[in-house]
Amino acid sequence: MTQVFDRERLIADAHTAMAQAYAPYSGFHVGAALGFADGTVVTGSNFENASYGLSLCAETVAAAQASQQGHRAGLIAVAVVGGPGGTPGAVVAPCGRCRQILHELAALGGTDPLIIAVGAQETVEMRLSALLPLAFGPANLEQ
Ligand code: THU
Protein backbone atom coordinates (compact mmCIF):
# COMPACT_ATOMS: atom_id res chain seq x y z
CA MET A 1 0.00 0.00 0.00
CA THR A 2 1.64 3.21 -1.14
CA GLN A 3 1.85 6.13 1.25
CA VAL A 4 2.41 8.84 -1.33
CA PHE A 5 -0.16 11.46 -2.13
CA ASP A 6 -0.31 14.64 -4.14
CA ARG A 7 -0.11 17.30 -1.44
CA GLU A 8 -0.88 20.24 -3.71
CA ARG A 9 -3.83 18.44 -5.26
CA LEU A 10 -5.23 17.62 -1.84
CA ILE A 11 -4.98 21.26 -0.77
CA ALA A 12 -6.59 22.37 -4.03
CA ASP A 13 -9.42 19.88 -3.51
CA ALA A 14 -10.00 21.24 0.00
CA HIS A 15 -10.29 24.73 -1.49
CA THR A 16 -12.76 23.47 -4.08
CA ALA A 17 -14.81 21.76 -1.37
CA MET A 18 -14.86 24.95 0.68
CA ALA A 19 -16.82 26.60 -2.15
CA GLN A 20 -19.70 24.22 -1.34
CA ALA A 21 -19.85 25.17 2.35
CA TYR A 22 -23.28 25.87 3.77
CA ALA A 23 -22.44 28.27 6.57
CA PRO A 24 -25.11 30.98 6.74
CA TYR A 25 -24.89 31.29 10.54
CA SER A 26 -21.17 31.51 11.23
CA GLY A 27 -20.15 32.75 7.81
CA PHE A 28 -17.04 30.59 8.31
CA HIS A 29 -16.56 28.37 5.28
CA VAL A 30 -14.46 25.21 5.60
CA GLY A 31 -13.38 22.56 3.13
CA ALA A 32 -11.67 19.25 3.83
CA ALA A 33 -10.08 16.71 1.50
CA LEU A 34 -9.27 13.17 2.59
CA GLY A 35 -6.49 11.42 0.70
CA PHE A 36 -6.38 7.63 0.54
CA ALA A 37 -3.50 5.33 -0.27
CA ASP A 38 -5.13 4.19 -3.51
CA GLY A 39 -5.21 7.78 -4.76
CA THR A 40 -8.85 8.41 -3.97
CA VAL A 41 -9.75 11.84 -2.64
CA VAL A 42 -13.03 12.41 -0.79
CA THR A 43 -14.08 15.93 0.13
CA GLY A 44 -16.55 17.67 2.41
CA SER A 45 -17.56 21.11 3.54
CA ASN A 46 -19.31 22.34 6.65
CA PHE A 47 -23.09 21.99 6.72
CA GLU A 48 -24.63 24.23 9.35
CA ASN A 49 -28.01 24.04 10.97
CA ALA A 50 -30.55 26.58 12.24
CA SER A 51 -30.17 24.72 15.53
CA TYR A 52 -26.57 25.88 15.63
CA GLY A 53 -25.16 23.09 17.74
CA LEU A 54 -26.17 20.49 15.19
CA SER A 55 -23.88 21.91 12.52
CA LEU A 56 -21.51 19.46 10.86
CA CYS A 57 -17.87 20.26 10.24
CA ALA A 58 -16.23 19.77 6.87
CA GLU A 59 -14.04 16.93 8.12
CA THR A 60 -17.03 15.07 9.54
CA VAL A 61 -18.98 15.43 6.31
CA ALA A 62 -15.96 14.15 4.35
CA ALA A 63 -15.48 11.18 6.69
CA ALA A 64 -19.14 10.19 6.41
CA GLN A 65 -18.96 10.58 2.64
CA ALA A 66 -15.88 8.35 2.51
CA SER A 67 -17.59 5.67 4.56
CA GLN A 68 -20.64 5.80 2.35
CA GLN A 69 -18.44 5.41 -0.73
CA GLY A 70 -16.73 2.39 0.80
CA HIS A 71 -13.40 4.08 1.56
CA ARG A 72 -12.67 2.80 5.03
CA ALA A 73 -9.00 1.94 4.76
CA GLY A 74 -5.84 3.76 3.81
CA LEU A 75 -6.52 7.29 5.00
CA ILE A 76 -3.08 8.87 4.68
CA ALA A 77 -3.65 12.64 4.55
CA VAL A 78 -6.27 15.26 5.36
CA ALA A 79 -6.16 18.85 4.10
CA VAL A 80 -8.33 21.49 5.78
CA VAL A 81 -8.83 25.09 4.76
CA GLY A 82 -11.31 27.71 5.87
CA GLY A 83 -12.02 31.28 6.69
CA PRO A 84 -14.68 33.96 6.97
CA GLY A 85 -16.63 34.10 3.74
CA GLY A 86 -14.33 31.46 2.32
CA THR A 87 -11.21 33.61 2.54
CA PRO A 88 -8.45 31.72 4.37
CA GLY A 89 -6.70 33.50 7.22
CA ALA A 90 -5.29 31.62 10.18
CA VAL A 91 -4.61 27.93 9.75
CA VAL A 92 -7.64 25.72 10.41
CA ALA A 93 -6.95 22.41 12.12
CA PRO A 94 -9.71 19.87 12.83
CA CYS A 95 -11.77 20.55 15.93
CA GLY A 96 -11.72 18.04 18.76
CA ARG A 97 -14.79 16.15 17.61
CA CYS A 98 -13.43 15.86 14.08
CA ARG A 99 -10.10 14.57 15.36
CA GLN A 100 -11.98 11.73 17.03
CA ILE A 101 -14.04 11.03 13.90
CA LEU A 102 -10.94 11.05 11.71
CA HIS A 103 -9.27 8.69 14.18
CA GLU A 104 -12.08 6.18 13.73
CA LEU A 105 -11.68 6.24 9.95
CA ALA A 106 -7.88 6.04 10.17
CA ALA A 107 -8.03 3.18 12.65
CA LEU A 108 -10.01 1.07 10.19
CA GLY A 109 -6.93 0.95 7.97
CA GLY A 110 -4.29 1.25 10.67
CA THR A 111 -2.89 4.53 9.39
CA ASP A 112 -1.79 7.75 11.08
CA PRO A 113 -2.76 10.40 8.54
CA LEU A 114 -0.88 13.63 8.02
CA ILE A 115 -3.13 16.57 8.86
CA ILE A 116 -2.44 19.54 6.60
CA ALA A 117 -3.89 22.67 8.20
CA VAL A 118 -3.87 25.38 5.56
CA GLY A 119 -3.80 29.12 6.22
CA ALA A 120 -3.24 32.18 4.11
CA GLN A 121 0.36 32.67 5.20
CA GLU A 122 1.40 29.29 6.48
CA THR A 123 0.54 25.62 6.43
CA VAL A 124 1.00 23.42 9.48
CA GLU A 125 1.42 19.66 9.13
CA MET A 126 1.07 17.22 12.00
CA ARG A 127 0.21 13.55 12.35
CA LEU A 128 -3.25 12.86 13.70
CA SER A 129 -1.65 10.97 16.60
CA ALA A 130 0.07 14.21 17.64
CA LEU A 131 -3.21 16.12 17.52
CA LEU A 132 -5.07 13.39 19.42
CA PRO A 133 -2.69 11.54 21.73
CA LEU A 134 -3.92 8.46 23.59
CA ALA A 135 -6.89 8.37 21.26
CA PHE A 136 -9.81 6.17 22.16
CA GLY A 137 -10.72 3.95 19.26
CA PRO A 138 -12.05 0.60 18.04
CA ALA A 139 -9.16 -1.28 19.63
CA ASN A 140 -10.27 -0.17 23.08
CA LEU A 141 -13.49 -2.12 22.67
CA GLU A 142 -11.72 -5.38 21.84
CA GLN A 143 -10.17 -6.07 25.26
N1 THU B 1 -15.64 24.04 11.27
C1 THU B 1 -15.28 23.03 10.43
O1 THU B 1 -16.00 22.71 9.47
N2 THU B 1 -14.11 22.39 10.67
C2 THU B 1 -13.23 22.71 11.66
O2 THU B 1 -12.23 22.05 11.82
C3 THU B 1 -13.51 23.86 12.53
C4 THU B 1 -14.87 24.44 12.42
C5 THU B 1 -16.89 24.75 11.00
C6 THU B 1 -18.00 24.51 11.99
C7 THU B 1 -18.85 25.73 11.80
O3 THU B 1 -19.74 25.49 10.70
C8 THU B 1 -17.86 26.80 11.41
O4 THU B 1 -16.67 26.14 11.02
C9 THU B 1 -17.56 27.77 12.52
O5 THU B 1 -17.18 27.13 13.67
Side-chain angles (χ1 to χ4, degrees):
M1 186 169 71
T2 178
Q3 292 291 308
V4 295
F5 65 95
D6 187 336
R7 183 177 174 282
E8 296 313 313
R9 182 196 162 196
L10 204 65
I11 292 172
D13 286 346
H15 275 93
T16 299
M18 180 172 63
Q20 298 301 323
Y22 173 70
Y25 307 110
S26 73
F28 196 88
H29 299 216
V30 184
L34 311 184
F36 290 82
D38 66 359
T40 300
V41 174
V42 179
T43 63
S45 60
N46 52 336
F47 180 57
E48 296 189 343
N49 194 284
S51 179
Y52 300 167
L54 300 184
S55 296
L56 300 176
C57 288
E59 301 91 320
T60 291
V61 170
Q65 176 88 333
S67 177
Q68 178 62 18
Q69 292 180 2
H71 301 293
R72 293 181 180 161
L75 180 65
I76 55 173
V78 178
V80 186
V81 65
T87 301
V91 297
V92 175
C95 77
R97 182 174 185 267
C98 287
R99 294 177 194 196
Q100 181 69 28
I101 285 171
L102 290 171
H103 175 68
E104 183 79 20
L105 186 57
L108 296 180
T111 59
D112 185 10
L114 186 67
I115 306 299
I116 305 168
V118 180
Q121 307 296 335
E122 61 173 335
T123 295
V124 176
E125 301 187 3
M126 296 180 90
R127 292 285 164 189
L128 180 59
S129 61
L131 290 172
L132 190 67
L134 285 176
F136 183 86
N140 291 97
L141 303 178
E142 292 172 1
Q143 296 168 14

